[in-house]
Structure formats: structure tokens, C-alpha cells
């Protein structure tokens, strides 16, 4: 459970980082004072943070899927048990 909490905190950091680099990139374009080197650096940083954000989200999704499967061992393959609400 502690690992999930740390992953959520990391995802928050990566999301804010991606937002910050996007803002910096937009300011560079709007101000038209940025050099090519600055633009490339901001694009690389944005790509890195977006990659880490996707990775942390995927890890959390995988952890949630595993946990949900462990909580419902009576269902096989995610199917509803016989006699559920849709069966008559």
C-alpha cells in the first residue's frame, strides 16, 4: 500500500512537471525570445516528464487491476457470477 501512495505522489510530481514545461514552452513561443537550443531543451524535458507520467499511470493501473482481481476471487475472468442481475 505504501508503494501505491509513492506512485501517486510521483504521478502528481510528473503531472506538475509536464504542466510547468508546457507553460515554459508556450511562453517561449509567445515571447519569441527563445533560441532554438532553449526550445529543443524544453521539448526534451517535456517529453521526459510525459513519458514518466505515462509510466507511473500505467504502473498504478496495473496495481489497481491486480488488487481488484485479488478482492474478487469468486469471479472467473472478470465475468459476473451466475444468477446475477442480467440473467433470468
Amino acid at each position: 500500500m505504501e508503494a501505491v501512495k509513492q506512485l501517486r505522489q510521483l504521478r502528481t510530481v510528473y503531472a506538475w512537471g509536464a504542466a510547468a514545461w508546457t507553460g515554459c514552452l508556450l511562453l517561449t513561443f509567445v515571447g519569441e525570445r527563445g533560441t532554438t537550443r532553449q526550445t529543443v531543451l524544453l521539448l526534451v524535458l517535456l517529453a521526459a516528464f510525459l513519458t514518466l507520467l505515462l509510466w507511473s499511470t500505467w504502473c498504478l493501473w496495473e496495481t489497481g487491476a491486480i488488487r481488484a482481481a485479488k478482492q474478487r476471487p469468486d469471479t472467473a475472468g472478470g465475468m459476473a457470477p451466475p444468477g446475477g442481475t442480467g440473467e433470468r
Side-chain angles (χ1 to χ4, degrees):
M1 194 57 137
E2 186 66 29
V4 172
K5 183 178 178 182
Q6 289 177 346
L7 272 173
R8 285 188 180 134
Q9 289 174 345
L10 277 175
R11 187 179 62 174
T12 302
V13 169
Y14 297 147
W16 280 106
W21 294 126
T22 302
C24 290
L25 193 60
L26 288 174
L27 286 174
T28 300
F29 284 139
V30 169
E32 296 181 4
R33 293 189 308 200
T35 63
T36 304
R37 183 178 288 173
Q38 286 175 327
T39 304
V40 169
L41 178 65
L42 289 171
L43 283 171
V44 168
L45 287 169
L46 178 60
F49 271 80
L50 285 174
T51 302
L52 290 169
L53 178 63
L54 286 173
W55 170 80
S56 62
T57 302
W58 179 76
C59 287
L60 281 170
W61 183 76
E62 285 291 317
T63 303
I66 292 170
R67 186 177 22 188
K70 287 182 181 177
Q71 286 178 352
R72 290 183 271 137
D74 57 339
T75 60
M79 296 175 57
T85 57
E87 195 172 304
R88 293 184 187 245

